[in-house]
Amino acid sequence: MPMSNKTKVHFFLGQGGVGKTSLAALFSVNKAMQGEKVLIATFDPSLRLKDILQETERFQNEILNKNLSIRLLEPKKIFEDLIGELDQESAISIKKNKLFQKLLERINGVQEFSSLYFLNQSLKHGYNHIVIDTPPLQNALDFFESPGKLRDLFESQVVRIFTGTFKVKWFEKIFKKTRDLSLKTLQKLTGADFFNELIVFMTALDDLRPVILKTLNETEELFSDSSVKYNLVGLSDLGAVLKLKERVLLLKSKNIKIHHLFINKFIDWTDFSSKKEGLTSYINFKKKQQEVTKKIIDELMKLEDLKIFKINKQVFNKSEEQLIKTAKKIYGEN
Amino acid sequence: MADKKGKIHFFTGKGGVGKTTLSLAFAKARASRGEKTLLIEFSQLNSFSQLLDIETGFQPKKFKKNLDLASWDGEDCLQEFVKYSFKLRLIFETFYKSKAINALIKAAPALKEIAFLGYLTSHFRGVKPELDYDCIIVDAPSTGHFLSCLKVPQALLEISSIGPMGFHCRGIIETLKDSSLTEVHAVFQAEELILKEQAELVSELNLMGIKVTHWLNNVYPQELSLEILSSMESETKDPISSYLSEKAQIERAIIEDKNLKTNIINEIFENNFDSIAEQMSLNAYVQ
């Protein structure tokens, strides 16, 4: 396939509440309006994306209708699809397992894995752009490290050791004794019911191992591909900008390059003034903070290939027309 | 204003609203009243080491008189609990060295959350190992993660209502629902998306039967607020003016509505951290 036809992947990263979903949506709208085929995927089940992109109805604008697709990512559904590829018996036992039913999403890495699995599947469909609105970060590296943690778990075959399907020939007796003692202890600590559910659960995960590892392998290469862009979103107050700087540098130290940095809900105090005394001292305080923030942003601008966008605070109008206008204003021909 | 000893206080809210700042100020306010206080950081952000220039770990570390700090991640709580359950250190070490057990602990959902909540509530449940403090404050994760953690005991009960798991989960749920033992401090600011998330948070906590206290953070001091509102009477449409007046209006509405019972923390203009602790001591709706 010629280079120009390769799908470009855009990850939007950031903490909760910074405007990731909105900016990802606007980016998608802008590209779609330029005639490119775009798929945007989000975990955000709240109506925010629906509000912005009116997911449940067709777009009024024909260009958007033709070019823009929206998907809500649900880890449970994705894992149910994966289970569907297993044999009947395994599939039934996993679906019945209560840990799977109730607590799947508490497993470290499940959401990140789901977005990678979805990405992997979607790359086959010939979109020009795939935009992933990632789950909110707790720390900067979460999104990148979780797949690795999952991989370690599955590659090490410990699950098999645990479930006893792995035969260790020579020191089997000693090994078995230790394992059995540990397992017996765990059973005593957690109780028989829970322990049994856990065993079934772990076995189920083991059955999914081949397809999970396949996905992780295929997408791992993707992370460092030049057709993948990382966009980090944050707020504009001093504390937030400091955190953003920290994140950019931390990711840089792990060879993860942020391409676009969005400083959202920005308020420019420079030209603002008031005749009232109380308000003036507040404004001066804000101006001082803004100077410090500006210095930090200037430092970041010196980093290679990092493009910084300051997005002014604005209200999102639900009208489609307004949305398209705002998207163009922010992203232009980018 | 009853001043009860022996309680767990969680601080949560949308990302960036001021959970860490307020939980720390609250801890200082309690410690200065003579309560033996532990402030636990249970998010992966490692704020203590940055904010306070102090390295904290699982074991509580003395920070000030009556105030200890700790950073937990669930896995360490699990280890503590397991350690306690073994009489002989040797067996514990073999157990923990076991690859299978480690894999299990890493992959299994719920174990860490139960260990965390279990250890946190141990003193109040009279279950060893006990965390012996008058006042335990948790700088908790933001809304979504926090709620999902609190829901784990109930989910587990539905899987296994008998045996040790059932026992611990029931005890945890009872403690969380007891308003004399647990209180969630929902922190928010006067901005549309934050208000929306606050409403969702409060509604979920009410459904779970857990006591909630509201904290509106970063509020314009009254004189400033009145000035903003009066100078905005002319139709200035620039974004900053509209932002200022919108915020001031929302704040006034919340403050003046006594039915909402919201505690107010004013924005501070220097890094005068102690003034936040002072403001917290004066607040009306905290027990």
Side-chain angles (χ1 to χ4, degrees), chain A residues 17 98 102-103 106 138-139 153 182 185-186 189-190 193-194 267-268 272 276 278-279 282 285-286 313, chain B residues 14 44-45 86 95 104 107 113 148-149 156 158 160 164-165 220 224 227 230 240-241 243 267 269:
Chain A
K98 293 180 196 157
K102 292 177 190 288
L103 294 166
R106 290 299 304 182
Q138 276 274 75
N139 69 54
L153 177 65
S182 300
T185 312
L186 191 62
L189 282 177
T190 59
D193 273 0
F194 179 80
I267 297 174
D268 192 350
F272 203 69
K276 305 240 175 157
L279 205 43
Y282 180 76
F285 169 69
K286 287 297 190 189
K313 193 163 176 58
Chain B
K14 197 167 178 52
Q44 293 168 14
L45 296 169
F86 287 95
F95 180 83
L104 190 59
E113 289 83 350
S148 126
C149 175
L156 277 188
E158 288 164 23
S160 160
M165 264 306 170
Y220 294 139
L224 175 62
E227 274 194 40
S230 63
I240 297 178
S241 306
Y243 165 69
E267 185 173 358
F269 293 3

Side-chain angles (χ1 to χ4, degrees), chain A residues 157-172:
Chain A
Q157 302 203 20
V158 248
V159 178
R160 288 205 176 163
I161 295 174
F162 172 69
T163 55
T165 56
F166 188 85
K167 296 279 184 228
V168 181
K169 288 214 170 109
W170 342 298
F171 49 94
E172 194 174 304

Side-chain angles (χ1 to χ4, degrees), chain B residues 2 85 99 107 116 131 135 148 166 186 199 206 214 222 257 261 269 281:
Chain B
S85 308
K99 271 190 176 170
F116 165 67
L131 198 57
C135 181
S148 126
N206 286 337
H214 302 77
Q222 191 171 36
D257 186 346
K261 295 197 184 168
F269 293 3
S281 305

Side-chain angles (χ1 to χ4, degrees), chain B:
Chain B
M1 213 191 321
D3 190 25
K4 285 202 171 131
K5 275 179 145 193
K7 207 165 169 180
I8 302 172
H9 299 266
F10 291 99
F11 278 77
T12 188
K14 197 167 178 52
V17 291
K19 291 182 287 301
T20 303
T21 311
L22 292 196
S23 62
L24 184 52
F26 190 77
K28 282 186 174 176
R30 288 283 157 156
S32 62
R33 280 199 239 189
E35 292 183 41
K36 189 174 166 206
T37 307
L38 174 63
L39 173 59
I40 301 166
E41 180 181 36
F42 187 66
S43 70
Q44 293 168 14
L45 296 169
N46 291 323
S47 312
F48 288 168
S49 50
Q50 290 161 28
L51 257 183
L52 306 171
D53 202 16
I54 176 175
E55 286 311 309
T56 47
F58 179 68
Q59 292 303 335
K61 189 171 183 174
K62 179 165 179 174
F63 175 58
K64 282 192 184 321
K65 185 176 178 202
N66 285 327
L67 178 53
D68 291 352
L69 300 180
S71 295
W72 289 2
D73 70 7
E75 209 170 304
D76 40 23
C77 296
L78 186 57
Q79 197 169 342
E80 187 69 13
F81 177 71
V82 170
K83 203 194 287 185
Y84 187 79
S85 308
F86 287 95
K87 304 297 178 217
L88 292 175
R89 187 169 186 82
L90 188 60
I91 302 180
F92 166 70
E93 281 180 356
T94 314
F95 180 83
Y96 245 82
K97 281 203 184 108
S98 151
K99 271 190 176 170
I101 296 298
N102 266 296
L104 190 59
I105 285 172
K106 283 190 160 63
L111 289 180
K112 292 190 272 291
E113 289 83 350
I114 295 302
F116 165 67
L117 292 172
Y119 193 33
L120 202 61
T121 56
S122 58
H123 179 58
F124 308 101
R125 297 190 289 137
V127 165
K128 292 208 189 297
E130 284 188 39
L131 198 57
D132 188 13
Y133 286 87
D134 296 327
C135 181
I136 300 175
I137 300 165
V138 182
D139 175 15
S142 53
T143 315
H145 289 272
F146 176 67
L147 284 174
S148 126
C149 175
L150 285 190
K151 288 178 182 173
V152 169
Q154 186 59 37
L156 277 188
L157 259 192
E158 288 164 23
I159 293 172
S160 160
S161 61
I162 56 172
M165 264 306 170
F167 167 74
H168 288 300
C169 290
R170 260 191 301 276
I172 291 169
I173 292 172
E174 235 175 77
T175 310
L176 291 177
K177 283 186 171 177
D178 186 340
S179 59
S180 67
L181 294 178
T182 305
E183 193 167 336
V184 173
H185 300 263
V187 183
F188 67 116
Q189 294 194 24
E191 260 187 48
E192 194 195 333
L193 279 183
I194 301 178
L195 290 171
K196 201 169 176 186
E197 191 165 309
Q198 175 79 352
E200 289 164 9
L201 170 63
V202 172
S203 144
E204 290 270 0
L205 289 170
N206 286 337
L207 275 174
M208 292 168 79
I210 299 176
K211 178 174 182 186
V212 195
T213 303
H214 302 77
W215 293 87
L216 180 61
N217 195 17
N218 251 8
V219 173
Y220 294 139
Q222 191 171 36
E223 319 83 59
L224 175 62
S225 188
L226 293 171
E227 274 194 40
I228 292 172
L229 292 172
S230 63
S231 53
M232 300 313 157
E233 267 158 18
S234 53
E235 344 69 48
T236 25
K237 290 258 170 79
D238 69 282
I240 297 178
S241 306
S242 20
Y243 165 69
L244 290 180
S245 62
E246 191 185 305
K247 185 167 185 265
Q249 276 169 17
I250 297 175
E251 285 170 358
R252 285 291 114 213
I254 294 174
I255 294 169
E256 278 155 26
D257 186 346
K258 293 300 173 196
N259 289 327
L260 287 176
K261 295 197 184 168
T262 306
N263 295 299
I264 307 298
I265 299 291
N266 290 321
E267 185 173 358
I268 49 167
F269 293 3
E270 334 290 325
N271 277 331
N272 187 359
F273 199 70
D274 289 330
S275 83
I276 302 184
E278 231 177 88
Q279 287 188 58
M280 290 198 111
S281 305
L282 299 170
N283 269 286
Y285 301 114
V286 188
Q287 276 161 22

